[in-house]
Amino acid sequence: MEIWINPACSKCRSAISLLDAEGAEYTVRRYLEDVPSEDEIREVLDRLGLEPWDITRTQEAAAKELGLKEWARDDSSHDRWITALAEHPKLIQRPLITADDGSAVVGRTEDAVRDALARK
C-alpha cells in the first residue's frame, strides 16, 4: 500500500502511527514534493470512487484564490478540477491510502485507516 502524506499534517502522522502499530508494509509519498500527475490523480479518484471536488481542500488559500467554491461540479468540469489538484497539490485531501485490493481511502480517521488495512 502507499500513503500520500504531508508530514506537517496531524492526520497524516496519526495514520502513519497506526500503520506502524499494525505492522503494515507501505510506501510513503510526500505528495507536496513528489507531486502526482493528472493521470495519477485520475487513478486514485477511480480507486476511491470519488470526484475531484470530493478530495479538494476548499479552505486552502489556493482554493480561495482560484475561486473553487464557484466552480461547476459536473462531468464537463472534471478535467479542470484535476488540473487544479495537479498544479496545487496542497489542495489534495490527505492522507490518501491506496489499499492492497486496488481500492483507496481518505485516511482522516482511525476507522478509515483500519478499513485500508483490512482490504486484501
Side-chain angles (χ1 to χ4, degrees):
M1 89 177 48
E2 181 176 78
I3 181 170
W4 293 9
I5 69 160
N6 172 352
C9 168
S10 63
K11 300 280 187 192
C12 293
R13 292 191 306 271
S14 293
I16 293 284
S17 293
L18 181 55
L19 291 175
D20 288 344
E22 295 295 324
E25 291 185 26
Y26 62 92
T27 302
V28 171
R29 180 172 187 169
R30 294 178 179 219
Y31 72 93
L32 297 179
E33 299 164 15
D34 182 7
V35 178
S37 68
E38 289 185 23
D39 285 341
E40 288 174 307
I41 292 169
R42 281 186 187 87
E43 179 185 340
V44 165
L45 286 167
D46 286 345
R47 291 175 80 165
L48 287 165
L50 297 174
E51 299 293 341
W53 45 86
D54 295 328
I55 66 162
T56 301
R57 299 172 54 85
T58 57
Q59 298 304 313
E60 291 288 334
K64 291 176 182 175
E65 289 171 20
L66 292 169
L68 290 184
K69 285 193 176 187
E70 285 76 46
W71 285 18
R73 296 177 181 214
D74 57 25
D75 288 343
S76 67
S77 61
H78 200 259
D79 288 342
R80 181 181 188 199
W81 282 85
I82 290 172
T83 298
L85 292 173
E87 290 177 355
H88 306 277
K90 199 168 194 177
L91 296 176
I92 299 171
Q93 191 59 263
R94 58 189 185 248
L96 291 177
I97 303 170
T98 56
D100 292 339
D101 70 352
S103 65
V105 299
V106 179
R108 295 192 57 76
T109 65
E110 183 176 323
D111 286 344
V113 176
R114 289 192 184 286
D115 183 38
L117 284 166
R119 297 178 184 209
K120 300 278 181 208

